[in-house]
Amino acid sequence: MQERRYSPEEIEKKWQQIWEDQKTFEVTHKSTDRPKYYVLEMFPYPSGRIHMGHVRNYSIGDVGARMKMMQGYNVLHPMGWDAFGMPAENAAIKNNTHPAHWTYHNIDYMRDELKRLGYSYDWNRELAPCHPGYYQWEQLFFLKFYEKGLVYRKKAPVNWCPTCVTVLANEQVEAGQCWRCDAMVEKRELSQWFLRITDYAEELLKDLDKLSGGWPERVISMQKNWIGKRTGMEIDFPVQGLDEKITVFTTRHDTLFGATFMSLAPEHEMVPRLIRDNPDQEEIRDFIARTTSQEHEERTAEDTEKEGIFTGSYCLNPATGEKMPIYLANFVLAEYGTGAVMAVPAHDQRDLEFARKYSLPVRVVVRPLEMDEPLPEHMDKAFAEPGLAVNSGRFNNKPTLQVQEEIADYLEDLQAGRRAVNYRLRDWNISRQRFWGAPIPVIYCDKCGIVPVPAGDLPVVLPQDAEMPRDGRSPLPDLESFVQTDCPECGNKARRETDTMDTFGESSWYFARFTQPRKEDGAFDSEAVQYWLPVDQYIGGIEHAILHLLYARFFVKALRDIGYWDLNEPFANLLTQGMVLKDGAKMSKSKGNVVDPDEMIRRFGADTVRLYCLFASPPEKDLEWSDSAIEGSYRFLNRLWRLVHELSGVISPVGPCISMEEHSLTPEEKDLRAAEHEALRRATRDMLDKFQFNTAIAACMELLNPIGQQRQSLKASPSGPQVLSSALSTVLTVLAPITPHICEELWAHMGYKQSLAWSRWPDYDPRALVRQETTVVIQVNGKLRSSISVPVDMDQEELKSMCLNDEKVKKHIQGKKVVKMIAVPQKLVNIVVR
RNA sequence: GCGAGAGUGGCGGAACAGGCAGACGCACUGGACUUAGGAUCCAGCGGUUUUACCGUGGGGGUUCGAAUCCCCCCUCUCGCACCA
C-alpha cells in the first residue's frame, strides 16, 4: 500500500475550508442553552506582517477558545485590527499614498496570514476602528463625556514628542522617552483635551482587588503604583504680608513642628506675588527660567543636585507660629500635590540636603524608638522612620501614627488643614496633532466658543482626499474643506477641531463592539453586551500593563455611568504572555534575529508552529526560539500521523476513554488504558484549569510512546484494538485545540463522522488509573536504597516487613536499631535507624 | 533605594499536597536498518575517585524526609523612583 505522507500544506487548507463552509466558529448570543465564554487576544496593529509574538499570543488564545468549545461553552472568539496610528501616516508619506490605503492593504495580507494558522475566529465580526462605522461611536462617547464634564479642554504643560510631532499621555512616556520612538519628550504649553480619568482613580484602585486571582499580581501592582494613592493632609501656611495661604500636601503631618522652611515649585502660581517686593527679582527670574527650561527628565533625576533660591517672603508654621522662609526649589514638582512642600529637614533626605546647602535650621521632631534623639547638627541622613514625637509641644512622647491622627484633628479644628488624598494619576490627554485617528467632534466659533458637533451630524469623517505633508504634520489644519464649517448654534462661519483622538481610545472599547460589531443604530446591542461581557479570558503582552489595560478599565466605568451597561470591569481573567526571543534577545530587524512565521508555516505547517509555540515554555514565560527544537515538534506530529495510518486496519472510532470491562483486559492492555486515563487527567488539569499547555503536550507525547512501542502485541491481543483505538482517540482529542488540522484529518481517517471541533472533552475514569502493582521506594534515614514492586492494596505491616527483608536494605540497617518506620501508601517507606 | 518575580543537566523546561529530582523535548553518544541518512527504530545521556558519594544560586534551620516550608545572604529580570 502506498504510504500517505503527512502534508501539512494540503490538509491545513482543506480543514480551514471545511470550518469556513460549515460556519464552525460563527456564534450568536441568541437561542443557545450553553453557557457563554468570551476569549479575546489583544488585536494587532496592521503593520504589514504578523510576527512570532502574534503567533504565540493568538495560538494561546485559540487553544483557550477551542478547548472551551469542547467543554460545551458557547464561545465568542473575534479578531480585528488596531488600525489607527502613526506608522500608517509615515508609510503614506513615504509611498505618496493615503494612510487608509496602506492600512487596508496590510489588513488584507495579515488576515490571510492568520487564516493560514487556522485560528477559530468568527471572521464575521472582524472590525477596524479606522472605519467611520466604528469611530463614529467614539465621537458620540466624546459628546456624552463632554455633557457630563468627563472631558475638558485646558492649557497645560504637556508631553511633546518632536519625532512623532504630537503630544503624548503621561502613560505613553517611559523614563522621559516616547513609548513608540524613544525620542526624548519635551514639555510644551498647549491647549488640549483631557479625559477625567482621575475622577475614577479611587474606583480603579479599589476594583483591582476584585481582579486579584484573575489578573497577574504583577500587573495589579503596576497599576496600583501608577495610580499612586497617598493619604495625608493639606495644610495651609499663611504668608506674611499677603492675604494668602500656601497649601501643601504632606503624608508626614506628624512632623509639622519640624517644618523650618517652605519649598515651592518654580512654576507655582503664587511666585510672582511672593517676589514682588524683592530687589533681587532678576536673579530669581533667572533661576526660574533655568529650572523650567531644563528637560523634565534631567530635572527630576535623583542625582540632580538640589538647588533653590530664597523668595524674600515668609510664611507661618500653623503649629509653632514660627516664621518659615519660602524658597523655590528645583526638585519640587508643580504637577504633584499642590506644588508646594513643607520642608522638614530632619526627617526628609531632600529637605536635609537643601537645608545644609542654604544653611537652614534643622529641628528633630521624631525620636527613634530604640535610640537617643539625634543631634540636628550632626545629622547627615534624615530620619524618615516612625518613632516618638519630640519638640512637638503637647504631642511629645506619642508614637508617630497616633500623632498623625491627633495633629489632623487639631489642624481641622483650627481650620488650618484637612485630611486629604492625593493621586499620582493625572487626567488623560487625548488630543493628538496627527491625521490618522478619530477626529475630535468639536467646532470653534468666534461667537459661541467651543461647540460640540451635534450627535446627528456624526460621524465627522476623516477626509479621504487629504495629502500628507512631508514633514509628518497633520494635513487637517491646512485642509479648508475639512476645517471650514458653520457653527451649529449661530450658523456663522466656524472652524473644526483638527486634533484627533489618541488611538488608545479605540482599543478601550473594541471588546464590547465585538459583541455586535455591525450594529448601525447604536454603539452596542444591550442584549449582546449583557450576554457576552465581561471578556472571560483576555490575552496579550505585559507592555500594556498600564496603558491599554488602565484606559479600558476606565472606559468601562465611564460608559457604565453614561448608561450603556452595568459592567464594572472589562476583563475577568488576564494572561500576559512572555516574549518570543531568539539568541536571548527580543526579535528585531536591527538585530537580524527575526524568525518569519510565514516561512515556518511553509516549512513545517501551521500545526507544528502552533505546537512548538505552546510546547517550548509555559505561556507567561519568555520563549526562546530554537530552529532545531521546532523540528522536534514536527517529528512528533509525523510520528502521530504514521501511527494512525499504520494502524488503520486495526483501529475504529470507538471514542476517547471508552469504558471497558476491566477484568477482561490483559495486563498490557490495562497498562495502556491506565496511561491513557492518566494522560487525560493531567492534560485536563493543565490545559483547562491552568492554561499550561507545555505539560499537557508532554502528557500526550508520553502516551504516544507506549502506543508506538506496544502496538504490535496489542494488535493481536483480545481487546488490544479497542484499547489502541481509545488511546489514539484521546490523543487526538486532547491535541485538537493545539494542532487542529492534523487532528481533524486523523480523526476522520479513524472513521469519525463529526468534526473534532464539536466533540466533547472526555472524562477520565479514576478506576482506570488504578494499577495492579505499584513501585514503592525504600529509604533508610531518608536516603534512597531500594525499590520494590508490590500490589497496590498491600497491607501496611506486610509491606514494612517486606522492606526490612529487602537485600539492599538489610545491608544498610545491619547492626542498627530500627527506631521508626514511615510508610506513604503506594509511594515510599522510610526506615529510620540509629 | 522601594515593590514584584525568578535562580533546577550542555539547552528549553517538569516535579499535583513536604515523599523516587531532572517528566517531555532539543542537542549529543552508541547501535540497527540502509547504496546513502540530515528519514525511521533501539539504547544511553546531572557530576564524581561509581559496592558509594555529591547534586535544584550560597549558608543555616524545621522535618523521618526539603527544589518545595522558615531565617540570612548572593545574582538576575521586570516595574516604580527627588511623588513631599
Side-chain angles (χ1 to χ4, degrees):
Chain A
M1 192 177 99
Q2 174 80 37
E3 198 185 318
R4 199 172 156 227
R5 264 189 58 239
Y6 171 43
S7 164
E9 214 179 331
E10 201 178 295
I11 63 163
E12 286 174 1
K13 207 179 283 169
K14 168 182 161 189
W15 283 99
Q16 284 158 17
Q17 192 61 50
I18 292 175
W19 295 324
E20 196 180 322
D21 292 345
Q22 300 190 345
K23 305 186 191 305
T24 306
F25 304 113
E26 291 180 21
V27 277
T28 130
H29 62 277
K30 299 220 164 75
S31 68
T32 173
D33 46 356
R34 296 181 299 154
K36 72 96 184 181
Y37 195 86
Y38 185 178
V39 192
L40 184 66
E41 301 110 47
M42 292 180 186
F43 63 171
Y45 181 76
S47 57
R49 327 194 71 182
I50 57 165
H51 54 71
M52 271 305 166
H54 291 128
V55 175
R56 187 175 190 207
N57 188 173
Y58 302 153
S59 295
I60 292 166
D62 198 46
V63 179
R66 288 174 175 268
M67 141 187 125
K68 286 290 168 184
M69 259 180 91
M70 295 175 79
Q71 272 188 294
Y73 288 90
N74 189 34
V75 174
L76 173 60
H77 188 210
M79 179 45 75
W81 311 96
D82 193 6
F84 268 144
M86 262 200 1
E89 287 178 62
N90 299 337
I93 293 165
K94 205 171 137 198
N95 306 322
N96 207 13
T97 171
H98 192 279
H101 180 259
W102 183 84
T103 302
Y104 283 115
H105 179 266
N106 286 350
I107 288 176
D108 285 342
Y109 188 86
M110 291 171 75
R111 186 192 305 110
D112 277 353
E113 289 185 294
L114 292 186
K115 286 195 169 174
R116 278 203 295 282
L117 280 154
Y119 295 134
S120 61
Y121 299 127
D122 180 353
W123 280 108
N124 286 333
R125 293 172 188 262
E126 179 183 5
L127 57 77
C130 60
H131 193 281
Y134 183 90
Y135 66 71
Q136 63 173 325
W137 304 116
E138 194 161 305
Q139 292 175 334
L140 182 65
F141 301 155
F142 182 95
L143 299 181
K144 297 198 174 199
F145 288 158
Y146 187 76
E147 241 167 69
K148 269 201 119 218
L150 261 179
V151 66
Y152 64 96
R153 188 170 168 84
K154 79 167 174 196
K155 191 167 186 173
V158 293
N159 310 300
W160 176 266
C161 173
T163 312
C164 298
V165 212
T166 184
V167 301
L168 300 169
N170 292 319
E171 287 78 8
Q172 291 152 22
V173 180
E174 293 163 355
Q177 296 173 313
C178 173
W179 69 291
R180 192 166 14 217
C181 72
D182 290 345
M184 283 309 289
V185 169
E186 302 162 5
K187 284 281 174 193
R188 280 203 187 178
E189 193 82 14
L190 288 171
S191 282
Q192 302 280 285
W193 288 98
F194 288 85
L195 274 179
R196 239 182 253 285
I197 191 171
T198 52
D199 273 13
Y200 289 84
E202 187 59 35
E203 197 191 340
L204 287 167
L205 178 69
K206 194 186 73 211
D207 284 356
L208 284 173
D209 290 337
K210 292 186 205 154
L211 297 175
S212 175
W215 282 37
E217 279 310 314
R218 197 151 71 108
V219 176
I220 292 177
S221 92
M222 280 164 79
Q223 291 213 354
K224 276 190 182 160
N225 230 322
W226 184 259
I227 295 168
K229 180 182 182 178
R230 295 288 132 81
T231 49
M233 286 198 81
E234 279 178 8
I235 304 176
D236 304 325
F237 291 74
V239 179
Q240 275 199 323
L242 281 177
D243 191 20
E244 287 192 71
K245 297 172 294 192
I246 293 174
T247 301
V248 304
F249 174 78
T250 178
T251 56
R252 289 301 306 273
H253 39 285
D254 54 309
T255 62
L256 177 60
F257 284 78
T260 51
F261 60 100
M262 174 69 67
S263 306
L264 298 189
E267 299 90 341
H268 198 281
E269 57 91 22
M270 219 182 270
V271 171
R273 303 195 291 288
L274 293 172
I275 63 173
R276 193 163 42 205
D277 302 327
N278 192 324
D280 300 326
Q281 269 188 42
E282 273 315 300
E283 210 183 317
I284 297 176
R285 293 230 164 80
D286 276 357
F287 173 79
I288 296 172
R290 205 165 60 226
T291 313
T292 52
S293 69
Q294 209 173 8
E295 261 178 21
H296 190 258
E297 187 60 15
E298 193 185 321
R299 183 176 147 196
T300 57
E302 200 168 359
D303 48 8
T304 301
E305 196 183 344
K306 289 166 190 40
E307 274 188 297
I309 193 160
F310 181 45
T311 58
S313 295
Y314 292 86
C315 62
L316 296 177
N317 185 321
T320 62
E322 282 171 350
K323 269 172 70 177
M324 294 162 58
I326 303 170
Y327 276 74
L328 305 185
N330 62 347
F331 65 89
V332 178
L333 307 174
E335 62 267 26
Y336 185 81
T338 60
V341 179
M342 69 174 206
V344 186
H347 306 292
D348 183 286
Q349 188 59 29
R350 294 157 296 177
D351 295 343
L352 183 64
E353 286 170 33
F354 196 87
R356 291 294 183 234
K357 180 158 178 170
Y358 298 103
S359 306
L360 293 158
V362 176
R363 182 188 301 139
V364 174
V365 292
V366 180
R367 176 166 69 80
L369 288 172
E370 307 291 324
M371 279 183 289
D372 289 340
E373 187 180 320
L375 291 170
E377 53 272 26
H378 292 147
M379 279 181 115
D380 56 357
K381 254 191 95 179
F383 176 71
E385 266 106 277
L388 293 176
V390 292
N391 300 320
S392 298
R394 59 186 169 102
F395 303 103
N396 280 344
N397 287 317
K398 292 176 177 170
T400 308
L401 273 181
Q402 189 186 339
V403 176
Q404 289 204 329
E405 288 309 309
E406 291 186 11
I407 287 195
D409 290 339
Y410 168 73
L411 290 176
E412 282 181 347
D413 283 348
L414 280 177
Q415 298 202 329
R418 59 237 139 242
R419 287 176 167 86
V421 175
N422 196 46
Y423 298 91
R424 211 184 72 121
L425 182 72
R426 307 288 147 61
D427 279 339
W428 175 11
N429 178 352
I430 54 161
S431 299
R432 293 293 176 275
Q433 292 69 49
R434 301 293 312 207
F435 170 73
W436 196 229
I440 293 173
V442 161
I443 290 165
Y444 299 101
C445 169
D446 286 340
K447 192 162 143 232
C448 312
I450 295 173
V451 183
V453 173
D457 292 352
L458 295 181
V460 177
V461 178
L462 210 52
Q464 293 294 306
D465 55 353
E467 267 185 49
M468 308 299 296
R470 306 216 59 88
D471 59 3
R473 282 180 308 109
S474 168
L476 289 180
D478 301 326
L479 202 65
E480 288 302 311
S481 60
F482 177 82
V483 174
Q484 284 196 7
T485 185
D486 298 331
C487 172
E489 281 182 12
C490 68
N492 287 335
K493 291 240 174 295
R495 293 169 0 264
R496 281 191 194 282
E497 169 68 86
T498 55
D499 280 357
T500 53
M501 278 192 256
D502 185 357
T503 57
F504 277 100
E506 289 83 69
S507 52
S508 294
W509 58 281
Y510 78 114
F511 47 88
R513 181 71 181 170
F514 269 139
T515 64
Q516 190 69 281
R518 301 288 174 265
K519 189 177 171 65
E520 287 180 2
D521 56 352
F524 308 114
D525 178 285
S526 58
E527 213 178 287
V529 155
Q530 169 82 21
Y531 178 80
W532 288 116
L533 293 180
V535 174
D536 294 281
Q537 183 65 58
Y538 197 37
I539 303 154
I542 187 80
E543 66 272 17
H544 288 295
I546 295 170
L547 292 157
H548 160 57
L549 290 169
L550 188 67
Y551 295 144
R553 294 184 61 223
F554 159 64
F555 252 71
V556 161
K557 293 171 192 300
L559 291 176
R560 173 199 62 197
D561 292 345
I562 283 170
Y564 278 106
W565 48 51
D566 48 20
L567 188 69
N568 293 311
E569 287 288 338
F571 315 118
N573 294 287
L574 172 69
L575 190 154
T576 48
Q577 97 270 6
M579 289 187 298
V580 181
L581 310 176
K582 179 81 194 294
D583 310 319
K586 192 176 174 177
M587 290 184 188
S588 74
K589 273 190 205 136
S590 57
K591 289 195 201 87
N593 61 349
V594 176
V595 178
D596 176 26
D598 289 352
E599 191 201 326
M600 289 296 132
I601 294 169
R602 262 199 308 279
R603 276 171 61 187
F604 302 110
D607 280 336
T608 295
V609 175
R610 295 169 57 124
L611 180 65
Y612 177 70
C613 280
L614 295 161
F615 178 61
S617 83
E620 65 281 358
K621 288 187 41 176
D622 287 348
L623 183 152
E624 173 69 33
W625 188 269
S626 154
D627 288 325
S628 56
I630 189 175
E631 291 188 34
S633 295
Y634 185 57
R635 273 202 291 270
F636 170 72
L637 291 184
N638 270 288
R639 197 154 72 239
L640 177 65
W641 177 273
R642 284 195 311 271
L643 259 174
V644 172
H645 279 83
E646 187 200 307
L647 293 171
S648 288
V650 181
I651 51 177
S652 54
V654 297
C657 282
I658 51 166
S659 55
M660 300 186 85
E661 294 288 328
E662 295 285 341
H663 59 269
S664 68
L665 300 180
T666 67
E668 192 183 32
E669 289 165 357
K670 259 186 205 166
D671 273 354
L672 183 59
R673 191 169 137 74
E676 177 194 359
H677 286 255
E678 172 64 14
L680 178 62
R681 186 186 71 84
R682 279 169 48 195
T684 303
R685 183 195 66 202
D686 293 352
M687 280 172 80
L688 271 37
D689 301 346
K690 301 199 294 192
F691 271 66
Q692 242 180 57
F693 309 123
N694 54 331
T695 48
I697 294 164
C700 289
M701 290 173 167
E702 272 176 83
L703 175 55
L704 203 65
N705 288 337
I707 295 177
Q709 280 152 359
Q710 286 149 40
R711 65 189 192 281
Q712 296 305 345
S713 58
L714 281 167
K715 267 198 228 173
S717 80
S719 303
Q722 295 271 308
V723 175
L724 282 170
S725 301
S726 176
L728 280 170
S729 299
T730 298
V731 172
L732 293 179
T733 306
V734 171
L735 286 177
I738 296 163
T739 56
H741 312 89
I742 188 174
C743 288
E744 290 274 23
E745 181 67 22
L746 295 176
W747 188 252
H749 186 78
M750 277 184 76
Y752 289 102
K753 298 291 174 234
Q754 197 197 33
S755 162
L756 255 178
W758 289 109
S759 296
R760 287 301 297 263
W761 193 265
D763 295 315
Y764 66 91
D765 181 354
R767 285 171 310 175
L769 297 175
V770 181
R771 305 193 188 224
Q772 305 304 107
E773 297 248 308
T774 182
T775 306
V776 168
V777 301
I778 311 172
Q779 299 179 335
V780 176
N781 285 348
K783 290 207 164 99
L784 180 68
R785 293 303 176 193
S786 182
S787 68
I788 50 172
S789 189
V790 298
V792 285
D793 52 358
M794 193 180 211
D795 175 75
Q796 292 286 296
E797 291 310 310
E798 200 183 332
L799 176 64
K800 283 181 184 174
S801 70
M802 218 176 134
C803 290
L804 292 172
N805 286 322
D806 183 88
E807 283 307 315
K808 288 183 200 151
V809 171
K810 271 187 188 165
K811 256 195 328 209
H812 285 96
I813 60 177
Q814 212 165 34
K816 291 174 182 156
K817 193 180 156 210
V818 175
V819 183
K820 197 171 170 186
M821 280 181 85
I822 292 115
V824 182
Q826 294 182 49
K827 271 200 182 132
L828 143 160
V829 173
N830 189 10
I831 304 165
V832 186
V833 294
R834 210 168 16 219

